[in-house]
């Protein structure tokens, strides 16, 4: 069991970083809490690669474009702290909204171009402005050497990498593989909102992606997309999008290329689930 220290204010976390961890290499794992095994793989990696690991737990209101999604986002601080304790020594930064966004807070604007207009950018207006602002603010407060993000949020990782380059930030963004349950379901905080039967219904997501990878061997992109749409039409999930994109620009592909990636979002009841899979080797 590790030692967990929790800080709720910017002043308190900055003073411990300045006095006790001045020369330390800091790893940051930004989260919105409701932690799961997927987060733990990020935490483990950070513990291995840094002198000190900070996990931020902050449900960022400005990245939600839907009030009920924000309200229903799972929160469970006690359980989160217990899970983190099992990983080793971790510092938790769990600020309030007014700590992250004080009255004099100046929002940053990052022009994302097409990357910000497709997939999540198209279906969740303003989402990436919120992500860019909170991640940039966390970087400003903590000054990590490494920051860890899951590949499940494939577009988010691309946006954060782009932001780091554009703002010339002095840190390394580390993308970590998707953690999947034995069933194939990608770990997500939102899975906590699924009923027993929905957990089974949601398996169509990983099954459709696996099928797309098989079909990508000898079918065209259009055929693979049509097949995925048929799989969802025969299920109880409502597909929002299924796209096959360039892994760097996130633009739809017309012809196969190395690293081609399938990205999708589907509703299982009220719960919006996200997943992706690389269909062609990079
Ligand atoms: O992926 C998430 O949990 C959030 O988008 C992040 C990166 C913590 C920013 O709020």
């Amino acid at each position: 069991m590790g030692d967990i220290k929790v800080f709720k204010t910017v002043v308190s976390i900055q003073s411990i970083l300045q006095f006790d961890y001045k020369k330390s290499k800091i790893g940051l794992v930004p989260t919105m809490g409701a932690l799961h095994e997927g987060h733990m793989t990020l935490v483990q990696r950070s513990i291995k690669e840094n002198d000190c690991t900070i996990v931020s737990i902050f449900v960022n209101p400005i990245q939600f474009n839907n009030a009920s999604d924000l309200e229903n986002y799972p929160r469970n601080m006690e359980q989160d702290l217990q899970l983190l304790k099992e990983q080793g020594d971790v510092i938790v930064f769990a600020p309030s909204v007014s700590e992250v966004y004080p009255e004099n807070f100046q929002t940053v604007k990052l022009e994302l171009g097409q990357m910000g207009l497709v997939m999540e950018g198209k279906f969740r207006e303003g989402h990436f402005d919120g992500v860019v602002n909170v991640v940039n603010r966390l970087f400003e407060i903590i000054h990590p050497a490494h920051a860890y993000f899951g590949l499940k949020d494939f577009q988010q990782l691309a946006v954060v990498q782009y932001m780091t380059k554009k703002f010339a930030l002095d840190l390394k963004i580390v993308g970590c593989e998707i953690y999947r349950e034995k069933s194939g379901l990608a770990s997500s905080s939102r899975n906590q909102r699924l009923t027993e039967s929905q957990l089974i219904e949601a398996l169509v997501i990983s099954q459709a992606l696996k099928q797309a990878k098989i079909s990508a061997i000898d079918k065209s992109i259009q055929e693979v997309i049509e097949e995925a749409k048929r799989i969802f039409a025969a299920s109880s999930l409502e597909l929002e999008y299924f796209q096959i994109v360039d892994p760097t620009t996130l633009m739809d592909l017309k012809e196969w290329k190395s690293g081609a990636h399938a990205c999708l979002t589907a509703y299982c009841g009220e719960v919006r689930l996200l997943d992706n899979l690389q269909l062609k080797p990079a």
Side-chain angles (χ1 to χ4, degrees):
M1 286 283 173
D3 183 32
I4 303 290
K5 293 192 183 79
V6 182
F7 295 90
K8 296 194 168 177
T9 64
V10 173
V11 170
S12 63
I13 190 122
Q14 285 186 329
S15 80
I16 182 152
L17 289 176
Q18 194 175 342
F19 293 110
D20 295 0
Y21 297 95
K22 200 171 172 55
K23 296 227 162 78
S24 304
K25 199 200 290 175
I26 310 277
L28 172 67
V29 182
T31 82
M32 297 205 296
L35 303 179
H36 50 71
E37 284 306 320
H39 291 115
M40 294 311 117
T41 62
L42 273 59
V43 172
Q44 280 302 334
R45 180 137 178 215
S46 174
I47 289 175
K48 215 181 279 168
E49 297 177 354
N50 301 279
D51 305 321
C52 162
T53 288
I54 300 185
V55 176
S56 61
I57 298 182
F58 177 65
V59 182
N60 177 31
I62 67 167
Q63 71 183 71
F64 287 80
N65 61 335
N66 175 324
S68 84
D69 193 21
L70 172 60
E71 198 180 312
N72 291 319
Y73 198 83
R75 293 160 171 91
N76 199 337
M77 185 60 92
E78 284 303 305
Q79 200 177 303
D80 289 350
L81 297 182
Q82 185 52 38
L83 260 179
L84 291 172
K85 209 177 205 167
E86 289 162 17
Q87 311 308 310
D89 294 348
V90 170
I91 293 180
V92 173
F93 179 47
S96 63
V97 174
S98 59
E99 280 294 317
V100 177
Y101 303 120
E103 261 174 31
N104 59 353
F105 178 75
Q106 299 276 327
T107 52
V108 290
K109 179 77 193 146
L110 175 65
E111 201 39 73
L112 289 168
Q114 284 300 312
M115 187 194 275
L117 297 176
V118 296
M119 299 194 290
E120 295 305 283
K122 175 172 167 192
F123 288 97
R124 300 182 73 190
E125 219 189 318
H127 171 67
F128 287 124
D129 290 335
V131 170
V132 161
N133 271 281
V134 77
V135 171
N136 187 55
R137 174 89 173 116
L138 290 168
F139 289 173
E140 256 173 25
I141 296 168
I142 289 162
H143 294 290
H146 296 126
Y148 297 81
F149 293 85
L151 269 155
K152 188 173 76 65
D153 293 294
F154 189 69
Q155 190 173 8
Q156 169 172 276
L157 176 61
V159 166
V160 171
Q161 269 160 341
Y162 181 73
M163 173 189 100
T164 306
K165 203 166 149 201
K166 278 279 166 192
F167 292 169
L169 303 178
D170 183 21
L171 83 158
K172 188 171 167 218
I173 304 299
V174 185
C176 302
E177 282 307 318
I178 298 177
Y179 181 89
R180 292 185 186 278
E181 309 290 340
K182 278 201 189 79
S183 63
L185 185 67
S187 271
S188 164
S189 303
R190 291 171 195 269
N191 294 352
Q192 295 181 17
R193 293 181 56 203
L194 298 174
T195 63
E196 288 287 311
S197 60
Q198 284 177 324
L199 280 166
I200 294 167
E201 289 164 34
L203 297 182
V204 69
I205 294 177
S206 53
Q207 286 159 0
L209 286 169
K210 244 193 209 163
Q211 183 56 45
K213 187 162 182 148
I214 295 167
S215 298
I217 297 169
D218 58 4
K219 288 194 167 81
S220 70
I221 289 186
Q222 209 41 50
E223 285 168 333
V224 171
I225 292 174
E226 291 307 325
E227 182 181 44
K229 286 185 177 166
R230 281 197 300 274
I231 292 173
F232 277 96
S235 79
S236 58
L237 270 67
E238 197 184 316
L239 184 65
E240 191 166 61
Y241 63 80
F242 183 101
Q243 290 177 226
I244 297 179
V245 300
D246 179 293
T248 315
T249 64
L250 304 181
M251 294 301 112
D252 282 331
L253 287 175
K254 297 220 160 24
E255 302 289 334
W256 290 115
K257 69 174 279 190
S258 59
H261 227 92
C263 296
L264 73 85
T265 297
Y267 279 90
C268 186
E270 304 263 284
V271 186
R272 188 173 185 270
L273 298 170
L274 189 76
D275 204 346
N276 65 82
L277 189 69
Q278 184 177 291
L279 301 185
K280 295 279 181 187

